[in-house]
Amino acid sequence: MMTTQYALIDGNNFYVSCERVFNPALEGKPVVVLSNNDGCAVARSNEAKALGIAMGAPWFKIRHLAQSHGLVALSSNYTLYGDMSRRMMTLIGQYSPDQEIYSIDESFLRFSGFEHWDLTAHGQQLREQVKQWIGIPVCVGLGPSKTLAKLANHYAKKRPAFNGVCNLSVLNARQVDALLADTPVGEVWGVGRRLTEHLAGYNIQTVLDLKQEPAATLRARFGVVMERTIRELNGIACYPLESEPAPKQQIVSSKSFGRPVTEQRELEEAVSDYVARAAEKLRGQGSVCGALQVFIETNPFIPGEPQYHNGAVTRLAQPASDTGALTRQALVGLRKIYRPGYRYKKAGVMLMDLIDGDQIQADLYGDTYNDHYATDRLNDLVDQLNRRYGQGCLRRASAGFTQGWRMRRENLTATFTTDWNGLVCAHA
DNA sequence: TCTGGGGTCCTAGGACCC
DNA sequence: TCTGGGGTCCTAGGACCC
């Protein structure tokens, strides 16, 4: 008898792989994709990893490798990655009725009622089809819980013998434990740097060590999450598949500036811009927000420069999702916390107290549906145009025209899949 | 010159209630 | 000398994830 199985499918070096689809000359070369503002490496090709480039390595510390080792650095192109992700997830979803999209490059599948299937072969077929149809290399991990599927995916990536698909459920107990004994505990989903240190104090070093601990005892020391992790390592599924994404409880939009900003006017532009982005997401999930926080900060990495960071929470008289209402509120907050004489590096807004748009309570003075109708229609229209013609193509004047504070993206590739002007040109 | 952005869950402690 | 017990809500902070 075989129980429900879980698979984790994960794009290898996803952002780099997306870029390589449209620029095959990048194959075999060390490539990194940089974070916003070209700040640090957030994706690395295997060749870049081999050069010793760590996840999150600041670009200014590794840029010398461009000269010496031919390292290629690209600005992150989230429009492209998001669209490639959507295509990849749709295809992966064909392989099971139950799918959870966990992140931009990771997806869980649940296999219930697949007792007579060879899931390893199923995984191989998935892998080949995604490579052929989407152009992205993926690895597949299979096991009786999400935590084990995650771990299996790690083996699928790191151990060539698995040929990209590791199914822990077809190995015998001794083989599985041998793998776990050869893996540091920090590789487990949910065990980060701090917990790894803490566990080391109890001489728990490998995944097998953790698996063999009594779950209830470790709960007392480490909390309920650790108990679940141990159970999951023992094949007892504690985390269900979440096929419907839960609506967000808060929506944040914040970014560092491309250069230091000192003028209140420019901060207002940036905050207006971020509010518009956040409000679009808010409407996208059909929510309204009851409160809004705006924050600004200087650059803590410049020692000796006067530092200031502050935030202001303001509550809306009535929950709203209208960009205009939220922008006015945010600017009130910003004016409270703005202090001249500082070089600001970053600003952001956070929409809080989100509730479903249908559950909005009329206020004491009888605000009605009709009062909102016009602004709702306007917001819908703006959202549609921005989806069609690109983010920010239509925006409020308060978000500014020149936007000189915008982030730097010096090595940005084209949006190959979402923009006619970005189409790749093939030479005969 | 140059160090990302966007989330979640859990726990502990205080205020407050009956 | 005695000074309950149980519950909720809120917040801050810590830990994790990609």
Side-chain angles (χ1 to χ4, degrees), chain A residues 226-284:
Chain A
M226 181 63 77
E227 181 184 23
R228 288 189 198 127
T229 297
I230 295 173
R231 293 197 191 285
E232 287 243 322
L233 285 175
N234 283 280
I236 300 162
C238 300
Y239 297 107
L241 196 83
E242 317 260 10
S243 30
E244 290 295 314
K248 304 248 178 285
Q249 298 176 41
Q250 58 180 43
I251 292 172
V252 178
S253 178
S254 77
K255 277 184 199 63
S256 300
F257 303 128
R259 57 160 166 79
V261 164
T262 55
E263 300 302 312
Q264 180 172 353
R265 177 66 219 158
E266 288 198 309
L267 284 177
E268 289 178 359
E269 287 182 12
V271 164
S272 298
D273 200 60
Y274 302 165
V275 168
R277 195 89 304 114
E280 191 178 334
K281 285 190 213 165
L282 183 70
R283 292 188 292 269

Side-chain angles (χ1 to χ4, degrees), chain A residues 162-414:
Chain A
F162 288 114
N163 193 25
V165 179
C166 171
N167 185 355
L168 292 177
S169 296
V170 300
L171 304 180
N172 66 41
R174 186 175 303 170
Q175 290 170 317
V176 172
D177 284 357
L179 278 173
L180 303 195
D182 194 32
T183 310
V185 72
E187 295 293 340
V188 174
W189 191 32
V191 180
R193 203 169 42 85
R194 306 302 298 268
L195 278 174
T196 301
E197 273 172 39
H198 197 173
L199 288 165
Y202 294 91
N203 204 27
I204 299 168
Q205 313 273 3
T206 70
V207 183
L208 184 63
D209 293 339
L210 184 60
K211 177 190 172 184
Q212 292 175 337
E213 287 292 321
T217 311
L218 262 71
R219 175 183 186 147
R221 283 184 211 140
F222 293 91
V224 66
V225 174
M226 181 63 77
E227 181 184 23
R228 288 189 198 127
T229 297
I230 295 173
R231 293 197 191 285
E232 287 243 322
L233 285 175
N234 283 280
I236 300 162
C238 300
Y239 297 107
L241 196 83
E242 317 260 10
S243 30
E244 290 295 314
K248 304 248 178 285
Q249 298 176 41
Q250 58 180 43
I251 292 172
V252 178
S253 178
S254 77
K255 277 184 199 63
S256 300
F257 303 128
R259 57 160 166 79
V261 164
T262 55
E263 300 302 312
Q264 180 172 353
R265 177 66 219 158
E266 288 198 309
L267 284 177
E268 289 178 359
E269 287 182 12
V271 164
S272 298
D273 200 60
Y274 302 165
V275 168
R277 195 89 304 114
E280 191 178 334
K281 285 190 213 165
L282 183 70
R283 292 188 292 269
Q285 68 168 29
S287 299
V288 292
C289 81
L292 177 153
Q293 178 176 191
V294 51
F295 59 89
I296 50 177
E297 53 196 55
T298 51
N299 188 348
F301 289 103
I302 305 181
E305 200 166 287
Q307 297 290 323
Y308 175 71
H309 57 97
N310 204 352
V313 178
T314 51
R315 189 150 283 289
L316 281 83
Q318 202 191 9
S321 65
D322 170 39
T323 298
L326 298 180
T327 303
R328 283 189 291 279
Q329 200 74 19
L331 294 181
V332 169
L334 175 64
R335 284 164 197 149
K336 276 187 205 155
I337 56 175
Y338 173 76
R339 301 284 178 274
Y342 293 98
R343 288 155 58 85
Y344 294 96
K345 176 63 181 168
K346 183 176 179 177
V349 294
M350 189 187 310
L351 307 184
M352 301 176 299
D353 295 357
L354 308 193
I355 56 169
D356 194 295
D358 297 337
Q359 294 174 11
I360 189 166
Q361 278 194 1
D363 70 17
L364 191 58
Y365 302 101
D367 222 342
T368 64
Y369 176 78
N370 284 330
D371 298 327
H372 293 293
Y373 186 73
T375 54
D376 285 353
R377 293 295 301 136
L378 176 61
N379 283 314
D380 281 350
L381 191 61
V382 171
D383 291 348
Q384 281 175 35
L385 286 169
N386 280 327
R387 269 197 300 274
R388 178 74 181 77
Y389 295 106
Q391 195 178 79
C393 93
L394 186 59
R395 59 178 185 263
R396 298 191 167 257
S398 60
F401 295 95
T402 54
Q403 299 194 318
W405 39 269
R406 270 199 172 278
M407 64 180 177
R408 280 189 308 275
R409 295 202 287 179
E410 286 172 3
N411 294 309
L412 185 61
T413 51

